[in-house]
Amino acid sequence: MFENNESPSQGLTQLSQTSKNTVEEDFLTLTPRTTIQGLKDCKEVTTFILFGTIKHILVDDDWWYTACVCNKAVYPDSKMFFCEKCNKHVIKVFPRYRIKIRVIDSSDSTTFVLFDRDATTLFKKTCADMLDAHDKMNSSGNLPKQFDELVDRSLLFKVESRNDQNFKLEQSFRVKKICVDDDIIEKFNDSSLKSVDLLVRFTKETIECGSQSPELIQDNPTNDDANSSHKRESGKKTASLESIEEDNVPLKLLKRNIKKEKSVI
């Protein structure tokens, strides 16, 4: 018989730590970063991580929808509901969050669409419970008061670059996952600042190297008597120039990379 010296609480702690590590890797290392402007400019369908602040909740549409057990939206039909994904009429249906939020960062602003899992994480309340509380309070307006807690909150968003086709009148993006962990958000912003500092430093060094290079290739012969000496010096300088050009290959690549990184930042 095997002995197990690990208590249930230790096992839960390790599981929680493993889960956090997975989230941290996803948001800090595994998924590329961008800004809202970079997200809008992206022509390919891919996924990015970005840091943004929620400025307001859009009230144009309902903030919830009726869903099948498969989470696909259903519509009324023959006094029941029909699910296109399941291709059948269903009786059991559930309310699910679908909240349109306006998010900004240092580059631009856009509309994100939050769905049930992430909205439940933010509110710590299911959509059914939120609707029940909203009805009982007879609150004025279309949005529950608890939605105010989202305004001015800064989060990490994992977002798909493809426009959400459900909202054709404006450019909007589906949120695939959010991160509310303050430690991970701080690490994300710290590493982003370091990347910007490195870019500024490399740009400065590139400019300085470029300004010094003309001095290396100046050649001012004074008279005809120095022709032989001048030829020897020219040969040396030609060799030195070749070595300078070779040495500057990484510098040229760096300049191009800096231009690319600038366009992303």
Side-chain angles (χ1 to χ4, degrees):
M1 185 174 181
F2 295 103
E3 292 184 2
N4 185 4
N5 296 323
E6 183 183 88
S7 68
S9 60
Q10 287 175 324
L12 289 173
T13 300
Q14 291 177 359
L15 181 62
S16 175
Q17 187 62 43
T18 302
S19 177
K20 180 175 179 178
N21 288 344
T22 302
V23 173
E24 184 169 346
E25 290 170 357
D26 190 13
F27 279 85
L28 296 183
T29 60
L30 299 179
T31 311
R33 307 179 181 193
T34 191
T35 61
I36 290 177
Q37 185 61 59
L39 183 68
K40 286 182 172 182
D41 292 342
C42 183
K43 305 300 182 185
E44 300 175 355
V45 178
T46 186
T47 303
F48 292 108
I49 303 294
L50 64 85
F51 177 73
T53 302
I54 301 171
K55 294 312 293 180
H56 62 272
I57 315 296
L58 302 181
V59 295
D60 316 4
D61 300 303
D62 289 333
W63 51 271
W64 63 279
Y65 67 100
T66 305
C68 174
V69 290
C70 69
N71 283 330
K72 181 72 175 179
V74 297
Y75 58 86
D77 182 61
S78 301
K79 296 183 180 180
M80 290 193 295
F81 294 93
F82 186 79
C83 175
E84 291 182 342
K85 182 177 180 180
C86 298
N87 193 28
K88 65 180 182 180
H89 287 87
V90 294
I91 299 175
K92 283 190 174 182
V93 293
F94 308 89
R96 294 285 186 262
Y97 289 111
R98 183 172 59 200
I99 307 169
K100 295 171 67 178
I101 57 177
R102 195 70 184 174
V103 178
I104 67 168
D105 69 1
S106 58
S107 69
D108 207 340
S109 65
T110 192
T111 299
F112 286 170
V113 186
L114 276 177
F115 284 88
D116 197 70
R117 181 188 61 188
D118 295 316
T120 301
T121 298
L122 287 173
F123 295 124
K124 298 180 175 61
K125 183 180 290 188
T126 66
C127 186
D129 290 338
M130 183 72 77
L131 275 170
D132 188 49
H134 186 53
D135 290 339
K136 285 179 179 178
M137 292 178 64
N138 293 320
S139 303
S140 59
N142 296 326
L143 299 177
K145 294 296 291 181
Q146 198 168 351
F147 279 35
D148 293 340
E149 298 174 7
L150 296 183
V151 177
D152 291 329
R153 188 167 180 182
S154 297
L155 306 168
L156 287 178
F157 298 91
K158 185 176 183 178
V159 188
E160 194 175 63
S161 61
R162 180 177 56 191
N163 283 357
D164 194 315
Q165 299 301 317
N166 292 325
F167 305 102
K168 296 180 180 179
L169 297 179
E170 62 179 325
Q171 193 174 25
S172 58
F173 302 92
R174 180 190 182 101
V175 176
K176 301 186 72 174
K177 189 185 293 186
I178 60 168
C179 177
V180 297
D181 189 295
D182 291 336
D183 292 338
I184 296 176
I185 292 174
E186 185 177 356
K187 289 178 182 178
F188 180 92
N189 288 327
D190 284 347
S191 58
S192 295
L193 286 174
K194 287 177 183 177
S195 298
V196 172
D197 289 343
L198 283 173
L199 179 62
V200 171
R201 192 181 75 190
F202 287 148
T203 303
K204 183 178 179 182
E205 290 176 356
T206 303
I207 293 173
E208 289 175 351
C209 289
S211 65
Q212 292 173 3
S213 59
E215 298 175 3
L216 298 175
I217 59 175
Q218 287 180 354
D219 185 18
N220 297 312
T222 55
N223 53 55
D224 295 337
D225 295 334
N227 281 341
S228 59
S229 175
H230 168 59
K231 288 179 181 179
R232 288 194 301 271
E233 291 299 321
S234 297
K236 291 180 181 178
K237 288 186 178 182
T238 301
S240 65
L241 279 174
E242 290 174 354
S243 65
I244 290 172
E245 288 177 357
E246 290 174 359
D247 290 341
N248 278 349
V249 169
L251 185 61
K252 292 174 182 177
L253 291 174
L254 176 61
K255 288 180 180 179
R256 288 199 293 268
N257 288 335
I258 287 173
K259 290 179 180 178
K260 290 180 181 177
E261 290 189 37
K262 278 185 175 179
S263 66
V264 174
I265 295 176

